[in-house]
C-alpha cells in the first residue's frame, strides 16, 4: 500500500482480496460467488443481522411455537437414513448453552454432520418445536461464528456454495480495516457537516457497522453509511443532469398562452403559493433549450397532479403531446378520471391548421385492459 494521504474508495476497489492473509484460491472463488472481489466490495459487504449479546435468547427461555435466535455450542452430531420412500438423510445434533440443551434436526443436509463438529460455536435461528418432550429446531438457519466476542456479534450473508463462514468474513474485514488505519479513509463530507448533523466519519462508520460495541453503535454507523449511499446517488443524478444540459437539445416550450390561462382560470380553487412556485420553476426549465430533469415532491393531497397537468398542457399548447404515466392500472384509471375532470371544458385554441377551430383537450387511457379496437384508435392518435 502507498502512503500518500487518506485512502479513497477507488483505491480500495483497486486492491484485490488476495492482498489479505488467508485468502487463497478457494477462498477467492467463494468470495467471488458473493460478489466480493476487492477490498471495497469486502467493506461494503455488510452484516445481515447481529447477535445482541446483551439481549440474546437462552435455551431455557425459548418459547415453543415462536422463532428465536440462540448462541450455542455443538455437543455432538450424527446422521442416519430414514425408512420412508424415497429415503432421506436425517442429521441430528445436540447443542447447548449454560442454561440447557436443544435438539436440532436437518433433513437431506448430510453435510451438516461434517459442519457441526463438537465444540463449535454457532448461532441458530428457527422456530422452536416440542418433540418427545424436548425443545427442538428443524432446519434452522446456521451461522458459524467461532469464538467471536463482543456485545453485538455481526453475522454476514453467506451461501453454502461459497463455503465461507461468517467469522472468516469478519476476520478479513477486520484485517482490511487494520491495514487501512494508518492512512485512514478519505471522507468527502466536510467536518462541519458531520458536526451539524451529528454524524461519524466514514472510517468510524465502517468500523462500527462491522465491529460494533453495541446495537446503538451499529445504528450510528449505519446512519452515516446510508448518507453516503444517498449522496452518491444524488451526485450521479446531478452529474447526469449537467451532462444532459450540455449535450442534449430539447424543445423550448412557451409557458404563457391562452390554454394555460384557461386551465388555471377554470380550476375550482386558487393555486397555493407552493403550487405557483413549483410551476414557476418548471416554466423556467421548459423555456430552456435542454430537456427538463426534475423531481416534483409533496405530501399526499398537496396538489402535485395539478402541477403535472399544467406541465403537460404547456407541451400541448406548443403543438405536442404529453404522457402521464402511473405504476399500476388502478392508479392510472384514477388519474385519468381526475385529469378528465380538471380538463373538462378546456379547449386547445385554433392555430389556423384545423378546419374545426378550437377543440377540447383529448385525454386517453392506455392500459392492458384497453380492448384491441380502442388500442388501435389511441395508438393512431398518438402517431
Amino acid at each position: 500500500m502507498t502512503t500518500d494521504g487518506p485512502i479513497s474508495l477507488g483505491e480500495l476497489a483497486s486492491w484485490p482480496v488476495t492482498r489479505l492473509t488467508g485468502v487463497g484460491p478457494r477462498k477467492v472463488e467463494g468470495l467471488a460467488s458473493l460478489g466480493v472481489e476487492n477490498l471495497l466490495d469486502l467493506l461494503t459487504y455488510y452484516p445481515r443481522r447481529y447477535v445482541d449479546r446483551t439481549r440474546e435468547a437462552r435455551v431455557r427461555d425459548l418459547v415453543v411455537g415462536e422463532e428465536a435466535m440462540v448462541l450455542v455450542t455443538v455437543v455432538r452430531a450424527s446422521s442416519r437414513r430414514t425408512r420412508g420412500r424415497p429415503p432421506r438423510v436425517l442429521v441430528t445434533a445436540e447443542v447447548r448453552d449454560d442454561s440447557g440443551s436443544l435438539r436440532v434436526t436437518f433433513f437431506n443436509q448430510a453435510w451438516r454432520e461434517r459442519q457441526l463438529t463438537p465444540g463449535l460455536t454457532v448461532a441458530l435461528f428457527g422456530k422452536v418445536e416440542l418433540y418427545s418432550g424436548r425443545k427442538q429446531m428443524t432446519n434452522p438457519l446456521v451461522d458459524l461464528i467461532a469464538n467471536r466476542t463482543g456485545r453485538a456479534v455481526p453475522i454476514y450473508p453467506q451461501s453454502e456454495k461459497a463455503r465461507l463462514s461468517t467469522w472468516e468474513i469478519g476476520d478479513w474485514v477486520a484485517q482490511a480495516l487494520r491495514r487501512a488505519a494508518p492512512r485512514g479513509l478519505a471522507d468527502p463530507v466536510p467536518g462541519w457537516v458531520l458536526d451539524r448533523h451529528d454524524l461519524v466519519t466514514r472510517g468510524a462508520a465502517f468500523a462500527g457497522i462491522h465491529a460494533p460495541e453495541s446495537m446503538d453503535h451499529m445504528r450510528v454507523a449505519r446512519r452515516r453509511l446510508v448518507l453516503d449511499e444517498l449522496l452518491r446517488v444524488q451526485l450521479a443524478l446531478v452529474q447526469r443532469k449537467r451532462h444532459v444540459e450540455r449535450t442534449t437539445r430539447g424543445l423550448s416550450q412557451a409557458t404563457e398562452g391562452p390554454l394555460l390561462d384557461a386551465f388555471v382560470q377554470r380550476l375550482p380553487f386558487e393555486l397555493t403559493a407552493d403550487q405557483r412556485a413549483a410551476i414557476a420553476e418548471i416554466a423556467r426549465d421548459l423555456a430552456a433549450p435542454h430537456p427538463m430533469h426534475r423531481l416534483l415532491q409533496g405530501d399526499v393531497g398537496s396538489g402535485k397532479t395539478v402541477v403535472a397537468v399544467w406541465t403537460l398542457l404547456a407541451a400541448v399548447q406548443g403543438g405536442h403531446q404529453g404522457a402521464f404515466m402511473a405504476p399500476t392500472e388502478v392508479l392510472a384509471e384514477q388519474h385519468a378520471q381526475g385529469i378528465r375532470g380538471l380538463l373538462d371544458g378546456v379547449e386547445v385554441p385554433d392555430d389556423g391548421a384545423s378546419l374545426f377551430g378550437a377543440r377540447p383537450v383529448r385525454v386517453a387511457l392506455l392500459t392492458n385492459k384497453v380492448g384491441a379496437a380502442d388500442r388501435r384508435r389511441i395508438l393512431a392518435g398518438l402517431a
Side-chain angles (χ1 to χ4, degrees), residues 210-250:
H210 290 291
E213 296 176 0
S214 65
M215 296 303 291
D216 285 340
H217 186 200
M218 179 276 294
R219 283 186 278 270
V220 169
R222 182 183 181 278
R223 182 167 174 263
R224 168 57 204 272
L225 294 173
V226 166
L227 170 75
D228 275 12
E229 291 192 13
L230 293 176
L231 178 61
R232 282 194 291 274
V233 170
Q234 187 70 11
L235 289 174
L237 291 175
V238 171
Q239 185 179 39
R240 178 186 174 192
K241 180 176 186 290
R242 296 289 184 262
H243 175 74
V244 168
E245 291 174 350
R246 289 194 307 269
T247 62
T248 308
R249 297 290 297 178

Side-chain angles (χ1 to χ4, degrees), residues 220-298:
V220 169
R222 182 183 181 278
R223 182 167 174 263
R224 168 57 204 272
L225 294 173
V226 166
L227 170 75
D228 275 12
E229 291 192 13
L230 293 176
L231 178 61
R232 282 194 291 274
V233 170
Q234 187 70 11
L235 289 174
L237 291 175
V238 171
Q239 185 179 39
R240 178 186 174 192
K241 180 176 186 290
R242 296 289 184 262
H243 175 74
V244 168
E245 291 174 350
R246 289 194 307 269
T247 62
T248 308
R249 297 290 297 178
L251 295 172
S252 180
Q253 306 286 355
T255 56
E256 294 182 358
L259 178 59
L260 294 172
D261 292 342
F263 170 66
V264 174
Q265 290 169 6
R266 295 181 70 91
L267 289 174
F269 51 81
E270 287 288 328
L271 293 176
T272 67
D274 284 341
Q275 287 172 324
R276 293 184 180 277
I279 286 174
E281 291 189 33
I282 290 172
R284 286 195 293 271
D285 282 356
L286 292 178
H290 52 73
M292 181 170 66
H293 188 98
R294 180 173 291 277
L295 170 68
L296 178 65
Q297 183 172 326

Side-chain angles (χ1 to χ4, degrees), residues 48-49 106 112 123-126 137-143:
R48 67 179 174 188
R49 63 177 185 269
F106 301 91
R112 291 290 190 187
L124 301 178
F125 178 80
M137 286 184 180
T138 301
N139 291 337
L141 295 176
V142 180
D143 290 295

Side-chain angles (χ1 to χ4, degrees), residues 138-171:
T138 301
N139 291 337
L141 295 176
V142 180
D143 290 295
L144 311 183
I145 63 174
N147 59 347
R148 309 294 287 178
T149 59
R151 296 174 61 189
V153 179
I155 295 177
Y156 292 88
Q158 303 159 72
S159 70
E160 300 306 337
K161 179 182 177 182
R163 296 180 179 273
L164 300 173
S165 66
T166 193
W167 60 265
E168 285 180 308
I169 297 172
D171 284 349

